[in-house]
Amino acid sequence: MWKFANPIRHQILQTRWPTAGEAARSRLFSPIAIGNLEARSRTWVPAMVPWRATEDGFVTQQNLDWYRRFAEGRPGVLVVEATGVRDIPSGPLLRIGDDRFIPGLRKLVETVREASGGETRLFIQIIDFLAVKRRPEKAKYFQRFLTVDDHHRQALAAAMKQPVWLTASDDDVREFLQNADDELIEVVLTSRELEALRFGYRERVTDTHLKHIHDLPHELPAIFAAASERAREAGFHGVELHYAHAYTMAGFLSAQNDRADGYGGSRENRVRLPLEVYREVRRRVGNDYVVGVRFLADEVIAGGSRVEDAIFYAQEFARAGFDFLSLSKGGKFEDAQQPKVGQAVYPYTGQSGYECMPTVLSDEVGPFGRSVPLVAAVKKAVNESGFNPPVVATGGISTFEQAEEILRLGQADIVGMARQALADPDWFMKVRLGRGDEVRRCTYTNYCEALDQAHKPVTCKLWDKGRRVLEPPPWLTAD
Ligand SMILES: Cc1cc2nc3c(=O)[nH]c(=O)nc-3n(C[C@H](O)[C@H](O)[C@H](O)COP(=O)(O)O)c2cc1C
Ligand code: SF4
């Protein structure tokens, strides 16, 4: 995990919880329109992947139990984990890339409706991602994955001052490189080959020499639209298009996207496919269905998009008709740490990962609501350009006072809590009932994130206590 050079250990925020009356009169527990829907409160549980689906992407009983538990706390909105829009193997992550996934998802919808007494609005986050391979063993990489060509022969001949390499066989080049030291390997391999060796092969949206990447602008609108139609059919109140973090659509929005086919380069070109996807989704689900978006307020990587880009995108998204804008930050592959051999690179291990899920080991700003100023800048610009879709702020927000202040200052319209909701899904109910002092407070030390990184079922250390209990315990009320 990435760390600040001289981290400061912050204590979780001391706070005063509201009485039931104060909660009832608060902004946080007042309703808000999201598209043609009304959410009962401005509370929001953003998407969290729990690693509980079957290997084939179906909803399991564990998924149902997980979402039922969140629904019991009755947040205004609950967003189901990033769910794959394609029907391709992706481990125990939910999928929505075929009609056969609809019955399981419908069960999930019914479970949440029942557990929340119909109060919680349920959206599903839908995602496309490109190939990311595990870091290979060195020998395997050179024997099986490296495509030897003349560039390697020439580089070897020059580095070794031995022209004989110019006519060497593929096998000889592989054999030699496999046993070469790092310095020589660095001279002979391209930067992408080095990355494949040291981090595992990873596709980018800019790999337009690959047909399936070249064709993404042609393919993705229909794929997202079909997935959204299934979401509607399964009974979700809306879809959230995942344009954040390390995945395909964020790759298009990234300032690093220099595709030369009209879908990269300028901001206008980078936002083109995200808008085309939106329009096709809208065309297929109709105007009376909630379609929102999650994207980055800042990529937090060198050469990445900054808040000025986010403002531009937000205005474009609002103008196009998105029903809500949910902001996140960072979470990129570009600055991720090197994985161990046999493991895949994880986009939350670098500085950008820190900014996505900040911990109490922080800088002087601390982890609590540190991206709120960016969200506020985005919201202000969107509102000034004449649009008012609800804007969701998330990241290190765990007290009523924090949330209420964000809303009072107009920095966001809705407040999201991911880890705090995992630590205690009853936060919303407890605070509403004036029983905030019973909240199990998140300590922001990311045990949950480590499980996500290891692709293990996600739990919280506060109630799992190392025993691998998969569900938060029930709220044992005194009455
Ligand atoms: C275990 C785990 C899984 C997550 N999965 C997703 C996801 O599927 N999609 C997404 O947009 N964000 C995901 N996030 C990020 C959260 O939605 C949220 O933005 C982040 O945790 C910061 O908010 P917090 O401080 O309230 O936890 C995940 C976070 C955690 C801890
Ligand atoms: S494991 Fe629990 S306490 Fe720790 S950061 Fe995650 S949700 Fe918070």
Side-chain angles (χ1 to χ4, degrees), residues 103-373:
L105 292 167
R106 191 174 286 137
K107 226 174 181 176
L108 197 163
V109 169
E110 281 158 15
T111 301
V112 167
R113 185 182 303 133
E114 198 182 286
S116 74
E119 278 184 23
T120 294
R121 300 301 180 197
L122 186 66
F123 301 153
I124 183 167
Q125 185 181 62
I126 58 174
I127 182 172
D128 185 60
F129 41 82
L130 301 178
V132 181
K133 306 282 185 205
R134 293 162 198 268
R135 178 182 163 194
E137 282 172 12
K138 191 173 172 188
K140 195 168 169 187
Y141 175 77
F142 284 110
Q143 292 304 330
R144 296 210 1 223
F145 300 144
L146 180 70
T147 307
V148 175
D149 62 23
D150 283 347
H151 154 265
H152 300 112
R153 292 188 177 84
Q154 283 156 11
L156 253 184
M160 303 298 293
K161 300 193 175 58
Q162 292 171 349
V164 66
W165 283 110
L166 292 173
T167 53
S169 71
D170 285 8
D171 284 350
D172 285 348
V173 172
R174 289 178 195 287
E175 194 64 30
F176 187 76
L177 286 175
Q178 182 183 323
N179 298 305
D181 58 29
D182 285 353
E183 220 172 301
L184 180 64
I185 289 173
E186 277 167 27
V187 174
V188 175
L189 298 194
T190 65
S191 58
R192 287 296 292 280
E193 288 165 345
L194 269 179
E195 179 187 280
L197 168 65
R198 292 177 175 170
F199 287 79
Y201 172 74
R202 175 170 67 81
E203 289 175 350
R204 292 156 166 71
V205 300
T206 46
D207 291 338
T208 46
H209 57 284
L210 304 172
K211 184 172 180 328
H212 66 285
I213 302 267
H214 174 271
D215 292 347
L216 286 171
H218 182 63
E219 308 280 347
L220 281 178
I223 291 175
F224 269 95
S228 302
E229 259 190 320
R230 289 183 197 107
R232 182 164 194 166
E233 206 178 320
F236 288 95
H237 294 113
V239 285
E240 177 179 275
L241 308 188
H242 196 346
Y243 289 1
H245 307 153
Y247 311 108
T248 312
M249 298 307 293
F252 277 91
L253 290 174
S254 175
Q256 291 193 350
N257 168 17
D258 61 357
R259 281 179 73 120
D261 58 352
Y263 289 96
S266 67
R267 278 176 189 156
E268 289 76 7
N269 283 349
R270 275 147 40 202
V271 80
R272 189 169 151 205
L273 181 61
L275 288 173
E276 288 176 2
V277 166
Y278 166 74
R279 288 194 197 102
E280 185 59 16
V281 167
R282 180 58 83 200
R283 197 180 68 78
R284 295 271 285 273
V285 297
N287 287 331
D288 60 343
Y289 193 63
V290 170
V291 181
V293 56
R294 194 163 209 216
F295 64 110
L296 294 175
D298 191 324
E299 286 192 284
V300 200
I301 49 169
S305 297
R306 302 274 93 87
V307 68
E308 296 74 24
D309 301 277
I311 285 172
F312 175 79
Y313 300 146
Q315 289 171 326
E316 291 294 313
F317 291 156
R319 182 172 301 118
F322 271 109
D323 293 312
F324 66 82
L325 310 176
S326 175
L327 277 304
S328 185
K329 195 176 173 195
K332 306 294 292 186
F333 283 123
E334 281 75 5
D335 66 346
Q337 286 175 2
Q338 185 181 28
K340 294 196 181 111
V341 169
Q343 292 186 357
V345 64
Y346 181 67
Y348 306 99
T349 45
Q351 183 173 8
S352 72
Y354 176 85
E355 293 293 347
C356 189
M357 303 178 207
T359 69
V360 283
L361 269 189
S362 189
D363 57 6
E364 57 285 348
V365 176
F368 307 116
R370 62 190 277 127
S371 54
V372 169

Side-chain angles (χ1 to χ4, degrees), residues 32-39 44 77 121 123 290 323-324 390 414:
I32 183 165
I34 306 174
N36 66 339
L37 285 179
E38 186 177 84
W44 183 283
V77 172
R121 300 301 180 197
F123 301 153
V290 170
D323 293 312
F324 66 82
I414 297 177

Side-chain angles (χ1 to χ4, degrees), residues 2 6 40 56 72 74 89 91 150 165 179 181 197 200 241 250 269 305 324 331 354 369 371 413 426 435 459 465 477:
W2 180 89
N6 296 299
R40 185 180 170 184
D56 301 331
E72 283 169 355
R74 304 195 177 189
D150 283 347
W165 283 110
N179 298 305
D181 58 29
L197 168 65
L241 308 188
N269 283 349
S305 297
F324 66 82
Y354 176 85
S371 54
D413 302 291
D426 298 318
R435 294 168 66 165
T459 62
K465 300 196 172 81
T477 51

Side-chain angles (χ1 to χ4, degrees), residues 48 358-359 418-424 440-449 451 458-463:
M48 265 184 288
T359 69
R419 289 168 294 173
Q420 177 55 68
L422 172 59
D424 189 347
R440 190 165 44 232
R441 298 284 303 276
C442 175
T443 58
Y444 294 101
T445 47
N446 280 6
Y447 170 89
C448 50
E449 188 210 21
L451 291 167
V458 171
T459 62
C460 167
K461 70 167 188 186
L462 298 179
W463 42 262

